[in-house]
PDB file of all heavy atoms in Angstrom:
ATOM      1  N   ILE D 388      19.324   9.112 -25.727  1.00  0.00           N
ATOM      2  CA  ILE D 388      20.472   9.138 -24.811  1.00  0.00           C
ATOM      3  C   ILE D 388      20.694  10.543 -24.257  1.00  0.00           C
ATOM      4  O   ILE D 388      21.065  10.715 -23.094  1.00  0.00           O
ATOM      5  CB  ILE D 388      21.741   8.604 -25.513  1.00  0.00           C
ATOM      6  CG1 ILE D 388      21.574   7.103 -25.800  1.00  0.00           C
ATOM      7  CG2 ILE D 388      22.988   8.851 -24.669  1.00  0.00           C
ATOM      8  CD1 ILE D 388      22.638   6.516 -26.714  1.00  0.00           C
ATOM      9  N   ALA D 389      20.434  11.561 -25.080  1.00  0.00           N
ATOM     10  CA  ALA D 389      20.568  12.946 -24.607  1.00  0.00           C
ATOM     11  C   ALA D 389      19.588  13.227 -23.469  1.00  0.00           C
ATOM     12  O   ALA D 389      19.901  13.946 -22.513  1.00  0.00           O
ATOM     13  CB  ALA D 389      20.324  13.914 -25.763  1.00  0.00           C
ATOM     14  N   GLN D 390      18.396  12.648 -23.573  1.00  0.00           N
ATOM     15  CA  GLN D 390      17.375  12.826 -22.537  1.00  0.00           C
ATOM     16  C   GLN D 390      17.637  11.934 -21.323  1.00  0.00           C
ATOM     17  O   GLN D 390      17.225  12.245 -20.202  1.00  0.00           O
ATOM     18  CB  GLN D 390      15.985  12.526 -23.107  1.00  0.00           C
ATOM     19  CG  GLN D 390      15.538  13.550 -24.144  1.00  0.00           C
ATOM     20  CD  GLN D 390      14.266  13.116 -24.865  1.00  0.00           C
ATOM     21  OE1 GLN D 390      13.782  12.002 -24.688  1.00  0.00           O
ATOM     22  NE2 GLN D 390      13.728  14.008 -25.688  1.00  0.00           N
ATOM     23  N   ASN D 391      18.323  10.789 -21.552  1.00  0.00           N
ATOM     24  CA  ASN D 391      18.617   9.836 -20.477  1.00  0.00           C
ATOM     25  C   ASN D 391      20.095   9.448 -20.529  1.00  0.00           C
ATOM     26  O   ASN D 391      20.441   8.331 -20.939  1.00  0.00           O
ATOM     27  CB  ASN D 391      17.747   8.575 -20.622  1.00  0.00           C
ATOM     28  CG  ASN D 391      16.273   8.893 -20.644  1.00  0.00           C
ATOM     29  OD1 ASN D 391      15.633   9.041 -19.617  1.00  0.00           O
ATOM     30  ND2 ASN D 391      15.712   8.999 -21.853  1.00  0.00           N
ATOM     31  N   PRO D 392      20.986  10.334 -20.095  1.00  0.00           N
ATOM     32  CA  PRO D 392      22.431  10.090 -20.222  1.00  0.00           C
ATOM     33  C   PRO D 392      22.907   8.831 -19.513  1.00  0.00           C
ATOM     34  O   PRO D 392      23.935   8.267 -19.884  1.00  0.00           O
ATOM     35  CB  PRO D 392      23.049  11.341 -19.564  1.00  0.00           C
ATOM     36  CG  PRO D 392      21.978  12.371 -19.586  1.00  0.00           C
ATOM     37  CD  PRO D 392      20.686  11.632 -19.483  1.00  0.00           C
ATOM     38  N   ILE D 393      22.162   8.372 -18.517  1.00  0.00           N
ATOM     39  CA  ILE D 393      22.562   7.186 -17.761  1.00  0.00           C
ATOM     40  C   ILE D 393      22.674   5.946 -18.648  1.00  0.00           C
ATOM     41  O   ILE D 393      23.417   5.008 -18.355  1.00  0.00           O
ATOM     42  CB  ILE D 393      21.570   6.934 -16.591  1.00  0.00           C
ATOM     43  CG1 ILE D 393      22.200   5.983 -15.569  1.00  0.00           C
ATOM     44  CG2 ILE D 393      20.227   6.421 -17.095  1.00  0.00           C
ATOM     45  CD1 ILE D 393      21.447   5.914 -14.263  1.00  0.00           C
ATOM     46  N   ILE D 394      21.928   5.942 -19.772  1.00  0.00           N
ATOM     47  CA  ILE D 394      21.966   4.806 -20.709  1.00  0.00           C
ATOM     48  C   ILE D 394      23.381   4.597 -21.227  1.00  0.00           C
ATOM     49  O   ILE D 394      23.834   3.465 -21.409  1.00  0.00           O
ATOM     50  CB  ILE D 394      20.991   5.039 -21.887  1.00  0.00           C
ATOM     51  CG1 ILE D 394      19.539   5.076 -21.382  1.00  0.00           C
ATOM     52  CG2 ILE D 394      21.148   3.948 -22.957  1.00  0.00           C
ATOM     53  CD1 ILE D 394      18.538   5.514 -22.438  1.00  0.00           C
ATOM     54  N   LYS D 395      24.099   5.687 -21.440  1.00  0.00           N
ATOM     55  CA  LYS D 395      25.442   5.622 -22.023  1.00  0.00           C
ATOM     56  C   LYS D 395      26.437   4.927 -21.084  1.00  0.00           C
ATOM     57  O   LYS D 395      27.426   4.336 -21.544  1.00  0.00           O
ATOM     58  CB  LYS D 395      25.930   7.047 -22.329  1.00  0.00           C
ATOM     59  CG  LYS D 395      27.011   7.108 -23.408  1.00  0.00           C
ATOM     60  CD  LYS D 395      26.481   6.659 -24.763  1.00  0.00           C
ATOM     61  CE  LYS D 395      27.550   6.731 -25.841  1.00  0.00           C
ATOM     62  NZ  LYS D 395      27.108   6.186 -27.136  1.00  0.00           N
ATOM     63  N   GLN D 396      26.169   4.974 -19.782  1.00  0.00           N
ATOM     64  CA  GLN D 396      27.082   4.365 -18.809  1.00  0.00           C
ATOM     65  C   GLN D 396      27.206   2.858 -19.010  1.00  0.00           C
ATOM     66  O   GLN D 396      28.267   2.278 -18.770  1.00  0.00           O
ATOM     67  CB  GLN D 396      26.608   4.660 -17.381  1.00  0.00           C
ATOM     68  CG  GLN D 396      26.727   6.127 -16.986  1.00  0.00           C
ATOM     69  CD  GLN D 396      26.191   6.378 -15.592  1.00  0.00           C
ATOM     70  OE1 GLN D 396      25.997   5.456 -14.806  1.00  0.00           O
ATOM     71  NE2 GLN D 396      25.942   7.646 -15.276  1.00  0.00           N
ATOM     72  N   ASP D 397      26.129   2.215 -19.418  1.00  0.00           N
ATOM     73  CA  ASP D 397      26.129   0.761 -19.611  1.00  0.00           C
ATOM     74  C   ASP D 397      26.183   0.377 -21.090  1.00  0.00           C
ATOM     75  O   ASP D 397      25.860  -0.756 -21.452  1.00  0.00           O
ATOM     76  CB  ASP D 397      24.865   0.142 -18.979  1.00  0.00           C
ATOM     77  CG  ASP D 397      24.942   0.146 -17.461  1.00  0.00           C
ATOM     78  OD1 ASP D 397      26.069   0.145 -16.930  1.00  0.00           O
ATOM     79  OD2 ASP D 397      23.886   0.170 -16.816  1.00  0.00           O
ATOM     80  N   TRP D 398      26.582   1.320 -21.928  1.00  0.00           N
ATOM     81  CA  TRP D 398      26.563   1.075 -23.372  1.00  0.00           C
ATOM     82  C   TRP D 398      27.744   0.195 -23.779  1.00  0.00           C
ATOM     83  O   TRP D 398      28.871   0.394 -23.358  1.00  0.00           O
ATOM     84  CB  TRP D 398      26.621   2.400 -24.121  1.00  0.00           C
ATOM     85  CG  TRP D 398      26.198   2.300 -25.565  1.00  0.00           C
ATOM     86  CD1 TRP D 398      27.006   2.135 -26.641  1.00  0.00           C
ATOM     87  CD2 TRP D 398      24.861   2.363 -26.072  1.00  0.00           C
ATOM     88  NE1 TRP D 398      26.262   2.086 -27.799  1.00  0.00           N
ATOM     89  CE2 TRP D 398      24.933   2.220 -27.481  1.00  0.00           C
ATOM     90  CE3 TRP D 398      23.612   2.516 -25.485  1.00  0.00           C
ATOM     91  CZ2 TRP D 398      23.809   2.237 -28.293  1.00  0.00           C
ATOM     92  CZ3 TRP D 398      22.485   2.538 -26.300  1.00  0.00           C
ATOM     93  CH2 TRP D 398      22.597   2.396 -27.680  1.00  0.00           C
ATOM     94  N   ASP D 399      27.456  -0.813 -24.592  1.00  0.00           N
ATOM     95  CA  ASP D 399      28.489  -1.721 -25.085  1.00  0.00           C
ATOM     96  C   ASP D 399      28.681  -1.481 -26.585  1.00  0.00           C
ATOM     97  O   ASP D 399      27.699  -1.277 -27.313  1.00  0.00           O
ATOM     98  CB  ASP D 399      28.046  -3.172 -24.837  1.00  0.00           C
ATOM     99  CG  ASP D 399      29.067  -4.177 -25.295  1.00  0.00           C
ATOM    100  OD1 ASP D 399      29.989  -4.481 -24.522  1.00  0.00           O
ATOM    101  OD2 ASP D 399      28.936  -4.664 -26.443  1.00  0.00           O
TER     102      ASP D 399
END
Side-chain angles (χ1 to χ4, degrees):
I388 292 169
Q390 292 171 353
N391 303 276
I393 197 167
I394 295 171
K395 203 65 179 175
Q396 292 177 16
D397 287 334
W398 197 265
D399 181 85

